[in-house]
Amino acid sequence: MLLSSIHRGFTRRVGSIRTLSSHPEMKDFLDYLDSLKNYEKLGVPRGAGTDSDEGFDLARMRRLMERFGNPHSKFKAVHIAGTKGKGSTAAFISNILRTEGYSVGCYTSPHILTIRERILLGRFGHPVSAKLLNDLFHRIKLDLDQAMKEENGCISHFEVFTTMAFLLFADENVDIAVIEAGLGGARDATNIISSSGVAVSVITTIGEEHLAALGGSLETIAMAKAGIIKQGCPLVLGGPFVPHIERIIQDKAVTMDSPVVSAYDTGNRCAVKSFSILNGRPCQICDIAIQVGKDLKMSCKLLDVKLQMLGDHQLQNAATATCVSLCLRNLGWSISDESIRSGLEHTYLLGRSQVLTSEETEGLGLTGATVLLDGAHTKESAKALINTIRMAFPKAQLAFVVAMARDKDHVGFAREILSDVHVETVLLTEAAIAGGVTRTTPASLLRDSWIKASDELGIGIVHDGMAEYSALSKEQPLGSESNLGDGKTMLVTESSLKGCLRTANKILTRRGDEKGVIVFTGSLHIVASVLASLAG
């Protein structure tokens, strides 16, 4: 999910969040989408993202495109795959291109407040309007119904919405589209774009997320994502990668005669120099120096770039986007260094190391707190989140509110959080995923995972299933210094976000002037719940 720089002020105004998240005029369209098979809600079948007999049927997507006149052939595209960093990299690239004056289509998933966020259009990067989506849906409804009949009802939610995105990009005559793969790459619905349509392919990172759906190993995941590499088209690697995993991707690039540019190449110099406050929000001051001389020759040196996207991982995403921009420049696109700088600096996303304003924290009933929202949900992204917290809030007392999907590595996530910083309190809760609870992990099961992680690390905890917890909570109010003075982390289960906010407020009240940082994480869905609560 992403919002362009034009929308970086949405969360500063509660009314804007309310406007963005409401779309009653789209009821028929949304009801139709809800009737389709939605793997975000149900979970992805084993092997579905592999280039095998078990994989998604890309031929079905081709037939769907042919029915609508092959709209994907009417624009150039930057195609992005990877385990982490796809949405952020897409946001950076899109804003760089818009800054240069191009009309850009951007397609990403999932969304946070409204499905309209998945499709951004034009020179300003606004989410597609409800009217435009609604009009398109009613225009193509009969053809969709016929296609669904011919495909025995197998067309999915993602395939329909991808089709609509490509139709809108063609209708709006965008100069270029930035497209994020949904799952894997080889069999993803977005991978119908041909070599003639792709300007640059991008693989950000390779990790173990969706392991079963992508073949069961890092090697099969790498092969699936390498499926987006197109004949003769440049490939940008984000990284860093494990050497033998990078070799799999590099070997595929060789067979496709695709020049490779690595954002983490030893000739590049990227560093976070300091943190500052920009327009009331934290930012990191960075240097980005790219010097590529292997397959393609290109360079760019940007000093004191003010990134609103925090963390070393976001600096790496910014470097990746810079390399993509240089590749496009090499292909004849007009992109100045100043547009790269401005595009990077004006990129801001909901739910990625997002620090709420004082007005927003007051709206949550957490007056005086620092509230951080981050959709981290893998052990790699948890590590990146902790690194960001250590840089931005090195001495803060920490409380986490965590909700996760069933198919994530709960123990690995907890281990990364607990191993590098002292966490005072962890509130474990539940959040709906894509409007359903099929993939939601019960808070009690999350608690078991955090207990296991703490045992492995030798970290003392007190949880609400222990007699010690009951005794302490009776003797002292939750979060008081006396019941946590022994350095143990307190684990508390709450069935709802409302309960978490109530408990978090109790903790803040007991701390007095030491407000600390409350981090909502574990999925973009808990982030969405927090932001939606601001809309009332």
Side-chain angles (χ1 to χ4, degrees):
M1 194 295 303
L2 61 87
L3 293 180
S4 74
S5 61
I6 297 300
H7 295 87
R8 63 184 183 275
F10 271 142
T11 55
R12 297 175 190 169
R13 300 184 301 277
V14 173
S16 294
I17 293 177
R18 184 176 295 112
T19 299
L20 185 62
S21 58
S22 60
H23 30 61
E25 67 273 39
M26 290 169 48
K27 183 180 184 305
D28 290 346
F29 169 55
L30 295 177
D31 286 346
Y32 177 82
L33 284 182
D34 284 343
S35 73
L36 305 178
K37 186 171 291 186
N38 185 348
Y39 293 112
E40 289 177 35
K41 182 184 295 186
L42 301 174
V44 185
R46 183 176 294 275
T50 59
D51 197 8
S52 67
D53 291 341
E54 295 178 310
F56 288 129
D57 184 5
L58 202 55
R60 180 172 61 238
M61 190 65 188
R62 292 194 184 97
R63 291 190 291 272
L64 197 56
M65 286 290 96
E66 288 172 4
R67 179 178 293 275
F68 292 108
N70 293 314
H72 62 294
S73 67
K74 298 175 183 177
F75 51 81
K76 284 289 187 180
V78 173
H79 197 192
I80 306 173
T83 302
K84 303 301 298 178
K86 299 187 296 295
S88 298
T89 301
F92 281 130
I93 295 168
S94 298
N95 279 336
I96 289 168
L97 290 164
R98 290 188 197 103
T99 302
E100 189 63 44
Y102 291 110
S103 175
V104 182
C106 188
Y107 181 53
T108 60
S109 59
H111 62 270
I112 287 185
L113 293 173
T114 167
I115 198 168
R116 296 193 291 115
E117 297 163 23
R118 299 186 182 211
I119 302 174
L120 307 183
L121 288 170
R123 287 186 168 83
F124 301 104
H126 292 292
V128 61
S129 70
K131 183 180 187 307
L132 204 55
L133 264 185
N134 216 35
D135 289 350
L136 175 61
F137 168 66
H138 288 292
R139 189 180 97 204
I140 67 173
K141 177 65 164 54
L142 291 178
D143 284 319
L144 280 177
D145 289 342
Q146 183 62 33
M148 191 68 70
K149 182 178 179 181
E150 293 178 9
E151 299 291 349
N152 298 314
C154 291
I155 301 174
S156 70
H157 179 291
F158 188 74
E159 288 167 335
V160 167
F161 207 67
T162 300
T163 298
M164 294 182 70
F166 291 176
L167 281 166
L168 285 169
F169 294 161
D171 288 350
E172 296 296 310
N173 197 28
V174 299
D175 296 314
I176 190 168
V178 180
I179 296 168
E180 175 190 343
L183 176 76
R187 291 296 185 92
D188 188 74
T190 63
N191 203 33
I192 56 167
I193 303 170
S194 65
S195 298
S196 61
V198 171
V200 182
S201 300
V202 187
I203 299 177
T204 54
T205 59
I206 300 293
E208 293 183 348
E209 191 174 12
H210 302 302
L211 198 61
L214 295 174
S217 70
L218 275 181
E219 290 78 9
T220 57
I221 291 174
M223 288 187 284
K225 296 186 187 300
I228 71 164
I229 301 172
K230 298 297 188 292
Q231 187 70 40
C233 298
L235 169 68
V236 172
L237 298 180
F241 298 92
V242 177
H244 78 281
I245 295 299
E246 182 180 353
R247 177 43 49 199
I248 291 172
I249 299 171
Q250 292 271 8
D251 287 348
K252 177 63 180 292
V254 169
T255 65
M256 301 299 287
D257 195 28
S258 295
V260 178
V261 173
S262 295
Y264 67 98
D265 189 88
T266 54
N268 300 335
R269 295 287 182 269
C270 300
V272 177
K273 297 163 64 177
S274 63
F275 279 81
S276 184
I277 300 296
L278 181 67
N279 297 325
R281 293 188 182 272
C283 70
Q284 55 188 20
I285 313 301
C286 309
D287 287 345
I288 301 175
I290 305 297
Q291 187 69 49
V292 177
K294 189 181 176 184
D295 289 1
L296 298 172
K297 295 186 183 302
M298 53 186 69
S299 64
C300 178
K301 187 175 183 179
L302 304 173
L303 303 180
D304 297 327
V305 180
K306 300 176 182 64
L307 290 184
Q308 298 185 71
M309 304 280 277
L310 304 180
D312 287 333
H313 60 300
Q314 292 295 1
L315 173 58
Q316 186 62 36
N317 292 332
T320 303
T322 300
C323 287
V324 172
S325 302
L326 296 177
C327 283
L328 289 171
R329 182 194 290 176
N330 195 62
L331 292 170
W333 295 76
S334 174
I335 303 174
S336 67
D337 285 2
E338 190 49 44
S339 289
I340 296 175
R341 172 190 291 276
S342 181
L344 296 177
E345 291 187 337
H346 288 93
T347 298
Y348 177 77
L349 296 182
L350 300 181
R352 272 73 163 190
S353 297
Q354 176 188 354
V355 180
L356 296 187
T357 64
S358 57
E359 179 187 3
E360 290 161 352
T361 58
E362 288 173 11
L364 295 174
L366 301 174
T367 302
T370 296
V371 176
L372 179 67
L373 309 181
D374 193 277
H377 53 270
T378 67
K379 58 186 180 183
E380 293 85 3
S381 56
K383 185 174 183 177
L385 171 60
I386 290 300
N387 288 340
T388 301
I389 290 171
R390 290 173 66 183
M391 286 190 292
F393 310 104
K395 297 180 180 180
Q397 298 291 312
L398 299 175
F400 279 74
V401 180
V402 179
M404 298 187 76
R406 283 184 180 271
D407 54 355
K408 306 305 177 186
D409 181 0
H410 307 140
V411 175
F413 185 88
R415 191 187 301 116
E416 289 294 341
I417 297 292
L418 293 172
S419 61
D420 278 344
V421 294
H422 174 66
V423 180
E424 185 176 315
T425 306
V426 180
L427 305 175
L428 301 165
T429 189
E430 300 161 14
I433 297 173
V437 296
T438 304
R439 293 178 60 216
T440 300
T441 305
S444 59
L445 292 182
L446 282 180
R447 182 183 62 193
D448 293 343
S449 296
W450 282 74
I451 291 171
K452 182 177 180 181
S454 64
D455 287 345
E456 291 175 0
L457 295 168
I459 293 173
I461 61 167
V462 178
H463 63 79
D464 54 7
M466 298 170 64
E468 181 182 355
Y469 174 90
S470 299
L472 283 171
S473 60
K474 288 177 182 177
E475 292 172 7
Q476 297 288 340
L478 181 65
S480 65
E481 288 187 9
S482 57
N483 68 21
L484 292 176
D486 56 4
K488 291 183 178 180
T489 295
M490 182 169 285
L491 302 182
V492 184
T493 55
E494 291 283 358
S495 60
S496 67
L497 175 64
K498 187 175 182 180
C500 287
L501 294 174
R502 185 169 54 246
T503 302
N505 191 48
K506 289 180 181 177
I507 294 170
L508 291 175
T509 302
R510 292 301 305 174
R511 283 181 182 151
D513 292 334
E514 293 185 22
K515 295 300 185 183
V517 177
I518 301 176
V519 184
F520 290 81
T521 190
S523 72
L524 282 172
H525 308 288
I526 184 67
V527 169
S529 296
V530 173
L531 292 175
S533 72
L534 291 174

